[in-house]
Every structure is written in structure tokens, then in C-alpha cells.
Amino acid sequence: MPEPRSPMASFAQSVQNAIDGPITWFRESIVEPNQQKYNWYHQRFRRVPTIDQCYTDDAVCRFEADQQFRRDRMVDNEVVNILRQRFEDCMLYEAPDHMVKCRPLLDTYEKATENWFIKYGDLGGYANAKTAYMKQKHRLIWERRHGPVGSGMKGRKMLHTKIRYNFCLNPICSVCDEDLQNIHKQ
């Protein structure tokens, strides 16, 4: 450090050294040697409980689940963007023969896009973990009643699923209609 020019500056420098000296020594000799060196963009957060594992009155758990959901969505967005960029680069590089040579990349990209849309599609920009969980729940109920999304609805006879209290979940089940008619005749 340069030598102070005035007595006031030298006094200020000595006070600053008295306060900052021990702190700097502690950081350089104890903290930094014991730290793991990694780039900030490789930081790995611990997984937190998902929204279905949180109690309804546990605001901290719900907040952590929302933050985890946002991080997962950002990672999934980047994965889809990287796959799309790889496919576009392959198309430019393999120009006349790109549909044959780039087919595996296209299949991977389309599958990743489909999975992204299943999880995050139609949620909007302000989605949180609870809305994504509700979307997943509604999709599972739909698939139980009507079959996989995009495959067309099942036939009426195939939808009959009686559960615990002897009624069917399907409102248009012809088997249950026949059961109800027989009950009313008796």
C-alpha cells in the first residue's frame, strides 16, 4: 500500500488495518483453504420436499417446493433449448441429407418437448408447484377414465370401473346405467 500523505490519512489507515487485519487474516488462512472450489454456475442445491410432501400450513416447505419447481423448470427449459439448437445445427451442417442423419436428434427433441409440455404446458408464466401438481393429478384422473391423452377416448363398455362403494367413476358408463335401471325396477 502507498504511504499516507497526511497524519489524518495515516491514522485512518492504522484504524482500518486494526479492524480489517484480523478479518482478512481469518478469511485468507482459515476460510478459503477449507472451501471447495467450484464455478458458481455448477452450484448444486439440495433437493427439498415436493409440494405433495408439505403440510398445508407449512409455508416454508411450500416456498421451498416452489423454488425447487422454478429451478427444475429453468433446467428443463435449457435442456429443450439445447436439444433444439443441436437439431438446428445438424440440419444446417448435413443440409441435403439432414432428414436421415438428424433423425435421432429430432426424435430426442420431440420426446423432450412432449415431456416438457406434459409437465409445464398451459401453466402460464406465474405457475407454482401447486398448480403443476394439480395439473398432474387431473391428467392422471383423465388417463384413468379415458386412456392416454391423445389416443382417443375408450369405448363405453371398457370404462366400467366399480370402486369401494359400488359405484363407477365414469358418468357415461353403460354397465352402471344397466345396474341403475335394474335397481329402479325392483
Side-chain angles (χ1 to χ4, degrees):
M1 293 196 78
E3 201 58 39
R5 296 185 181 180
S6 69
M8 186 64 172
S10 76
F11 175 73
Q13 184 69 34
S14 64
V15 169
Q16 202 262 334
N17 287 341
I19 293 173
D20 188 52
I23 296 170
T24 305
W25 173 85
F26 184 78
R27 176 152 181 87
E28 290 175 353
S29 61
I30 296 175
V31 174
E32 288 178 357
N34 293 323
Q35 280 184 333
Q36 293 181 353
K37 301 288 184 197
Y38 60 88
N39 297 330
W40 62 270
Y41 47 85
H42 288 297
Q43 184 175 1
R44 296 184 65 108
F45 294 98
R46 66 177 181 84
R47 297 298 292 189
V48 296
T50 55
I51 194 74
D52 61 320
Q53 297 169 341
C54 294
Y55 292 110
T56 55
D57 61 345
D58 190 358
V60 174
C61 183
R62 292 175 64 192
F63 176 78
E64 287 178 343
D66 285 340
Q67 294 302 312
Q68 183 70 51
F69 171 77
R70 288 189 178 100
R71 283 192 298 266
D72 290 344
R73 185 173 56 184
M74 286 192 310
V75 168
D76 291 342
N77 287 342
E78 288 304 314
V79 166
V80 170
N81 287 338
I82 289 170
L83 289 172
R84 179 186 45 79
Q85 187 64 44
R86 285 182 182 173
F87 175 67
E88 289 174 356
D89 291 344
C90 180
M91 280 181 33
L92 289 173
Y93 186 75
E94 305 288 345
D97 215 14
H98 65 276
M99 288 312 289
V100 174
K101 293 185 178 180
C102 300
R103 175 56 64 184
L105 283 174
L106 178 63
D107 294 341
T108 305
Y109 170 66
E110 287 177 347
K111 185 66 177 167
T113 305
E114 177 187 354
N115 290 337
W116 184 92
F117 192 78
I118 287 171
K119 188 170 184 180
Y120 304 111
D122 294 336
L123 287 180
Y126 299 104
N128 58 17
K130 185 177 178 182
T131 56
Y133 182 63
M134 290 298 117
K135 179 181 177 183
Q136 179 184 12
K137 180 190 74 152
H138 294 190
R139 181 183 173 90
L140 290 174
I141 291 171
W142 172 269
E143 287 180 347
R144 182 182 296 159
R145 290 182 181 172
H146 305 292
V149 175
S151 65
M153 295 178 71
K154 293 181 182 176
R156 296 185 96 180
K157 292 285 185 185
M158 295 173 61
L159 288 176
H160 179 69
T161 54
K162 285 199 175 185
I163 58 172
R164 194 164 135 191
Y165 294 110
N166 246 0
F167 64 90
C168 183
L169 289 174
N170 183 11
I172 59 169
C173 181
S174 60
V175 175
C176 288
D177 288 342
E178 293 169 7
D179 290 345
L180 285 174
Q181 290 172 0
N182 291 338
I183 291 172
H184 290 299
K185 287 180 184 177
Q186 292 176 356

